[in-house]
Amino acid sequence: MSYLETAHELYKEASQEVQENLCCVEKPAQLLPELTIPREMSSMDYGCGTTVHLGELSSNETILYVGIGGGMEALQFAYFTRRPGAVIAVDRVVEMMEKAKANFKIAEQMNPWFKSEFVNVVRGDALDLPIPSECVDVAAQNCLFNIFKEEDLLIALKEMYRVLKPGGRLYISDPITTQPIPESLRNDERLRAMCLSGALSFDAYVQKVIEAGFGEVQIRARRPYRLLDKETYSIDDILLETLELVAVKVLCKEEEAEVFAGETAIYNGKEIACIDNVGQVYKRGIPVSVSQRIAKRLRQRDDFVVTPPTYHYIGHKSANSSCCCCG
Ligand SMILES: C[S@@+](CC[C@H](N)C(=O)[O-])C[C@H]1O[C@@H](n2cnc3c(N)ncnc32)[C@H](O)[C@@H]1O
């Protein structure tokens, strides 16, 4: 049995009987007017964060959700789209698909605006999506890709890239590790399937997203997810974190991809302002969001203060300021 089939079996079990400690983290419910999440769904929250970023979704978008679980995030996305088939949810485990469909029926009873047909549940694999190229505006996955080995992770990310329209956004919530995970745990297929031992480091994960073709990556959150503790695993404690990010399908060379992690650059030179060669204005004393690459460059200068990453980046006015040569 391959490690992918081990995961398949685990999620078949998790569709029949709720696994309380699987993946999920303590988090407040996303309260939205007139949205009631059935308990059957919230108790099957097998995500390690969220991919539903309120305020960034519009009703005319088509959304692909890979790895449906109990259907909670697909329902949350459907809250915004409210059209038949506007949310396409792909899963490889038939039992999980059936469970999600049953949960949508319950959600229909509790939410007068919702119809099950708003979510088109499709059987398929993240590694070979049954979706034509360039046909969705948004793609999302929560706590699935980390179970893939590195070569498969890249395939899964490239599949998301393929199906997104140009300019489309990929929303990810997945575990990462703060220290190397011993091979013995990485090779434990059940632990990997439980989202406990397949995690990459922050840098390695972001690099994979870039390698898949995404030209802009915005880091939205990093927060504790699990401790692989010495009592249970006979290793030095390893902290796993949840990484939430948004990757945008903009074309550029891999080495020119921009990663925004919440760093800002503040001009503190003699002039009132300084402008770089792509027109980005840095007014003296005013923080401007910059990518990791620009932050690194501006840290070399004594007329800029560059603040450390917050890993909580919520947008910028101009995404294309690719270098600074002001003054
Ligand atoms: C950890 S659960 C996450 C569920 C959901 N995203 C959530 O946040 O609650 C992983 C999901 O991916 C599905 N899955 C597992 N392997 C898959 C694959 N290769 N392709 C697509 N879906 C898969 C499982 O059936 C399950 O629904």
Side-chain angles (χ1 to χ4, degrees):
M1 190 155 72
S2 79
Y3 83 99
L4 295 168
E5 281 154 11
T6 303
H8 187 114
E9 289 307 310
L10 184 120
Y11 288 104
K12 192 167 151 184
E13 288 165 32
S15 69
Q16 308 301 309
E17 196 175 334
V18 172
Q19 314 279 310
E20 283 199 355
N21 287 323
L22 188 60
C23 309
C24 63
V25 286
E26 280 185 13
K27 61 183 176 203
Q30 303 240 49
L31 292 181
L32 288 165
E34 295 175 7
L35 173 63
T36 307
I37 309 270
R39 201 157 35 82
E40 290 79 354
M41 267 183 187
S42 52
S43 66
M44 280 183 72
D45 178 4
Y46 296 145
C48 60
T50 187
T51 63
V52 186
H53 292 258
L54 315 178
E56 297 183 19
L57 298 161
S58 68
S59 58
N60 57 359
E61 294 186 309
T62 301
I63 297 168
L64 169 69
Y65 190 83
V66 180
I68 191 170
M72 186 177 83
E73 289 204 317
L75 173 67
Q76 290 173 327
F77 279 120
Y79 175 87
F80 292 92
T81 55
R82 301 190 187 197
R83 283 175 286 121
V87 177
I88 307 159
V90 171
D91 205 288
R92 96 171 227 167
V93 180
V94 172
E95 293 77 1
M96 192 64 92
M97 294 163 62
E98 294 309 320
K99 185 70 185 174
K101 283 186 195 169
N103 287 346
F104 291 139
K105 286 285 170 209
I106 301 168
E108 264 186 13
Q109 305 302 314
M110 304 171 88
N111 296 276
W113 57 268
F114 179 68
K115 294 187 176 52
S116 288
E117 73 208 54
F118 289 178
V119 185
N120 181 13
V121 183
V122 178
R123 183 155 192 225
D125 200 300
L127 302 178
D128 184 16
L129 290 172
I131 308 287
S133 299
E134 300 199 351
C135 73
V136 300
D137 303 281
V138 169
Q141 75 82 18
N142 193 340
C143 219
L144 167 61
F145 284 11
N146 74 97
I147 72 175
F148 296 143
K149 294 188 175 168
E150 281 196 51
E151 57 279 16
D152 288 337
L153 171 62
L154 187 57
I155 292 171
L157 288 166
K158 283 185 171 172
E159 275 295 87
M160 294 297 227
Y161 186 88
R162 177 181 67 78
V163 302
L164 279 167
K165 294 177 189 168
R169 289 112 61 210
L170 168 63
Y171 288 83
I172 284 181
S173 162
D174 231 356
I176 52 169
T177 184
T178 56
Q179 283 148 62
I181 299 175
E183 281 303 302
S184 55
L185 299 191
R186 291 191 93 74
N187 293 332
D188 182 323
E189 293 185 356
R190 200 163 165 92
L191 271 190
R192 181 178 275 275
M194 292 167 73
C195 304
L196 288 174
S197 68
L200 299 181
S201 68
F202 172 81
D203 286 339
Y205 199 113
V206 171
Q207 194 48 46
K208 275 276 180 285
V209 174
I210 291 170
E211 204 180 326
F214 292 92
E216 182 177 321
V217 181
Q218 305 174 6
I219 308 302
R220 294 299 173 82
R222 271 181 83 166
R223 65 175 93 83
Y225 163 62
R226 286 284 187 283
L227 189 69
L228 297 180
D229 63 281
K230 51 181 172 297
E231 285 305 314
T232 314
Y233 300 103
S234 308
I235 51 166
D236 289 340
D237 288 348
I238 297 179
L239 177 68
L240 304 182
E241 295 178 334
T242 293
L243 170 64
E244 287 175 11
L245 64 78
V246 185
V248 189
K249 184 172 178 175
V250 285
L251 273 185
C252 79
K253 291 188 196 140
E254 200 175 310
E255 62 275 16
E256 288 173 1
E258 299 287 15
V259 179
F260 293 86
E263 287 144 298
T264 68
I266 310 167
Y267 174 63
N268 69 347
K270 290 195 169 58
E271 311 298 324
I272 290 175
C274 127
I275 306 176
D276 70 14
N277 66 347
V278 291
Q280 174 67 59
V281 178
Y282 298 87
K283 292 182 188 161
R284 193 172 56 221
I286 309 287
V288 174
S289 290
V290 289
S291 69
Q292 283 186 331
R293 201 153 58 90
I294 295 171
K296 193 171 169 197
R297 201 175 303 164
L298 292 180
R299 276 199 183 94
Q300 312 299 319
R301 296 175 50 148
D302 55 13
D303 56 352
F304 272 90
V305 169
V306 180
T307 58
T310 59
Y311 301 108
H312 184 75
Y313 174 76
I314 52 165
H316 51 275
K317 276 194 263 175
S318 109
N320 61 353
S321 46
S322 57
C323 71
C324 178
C325 54
C326 40

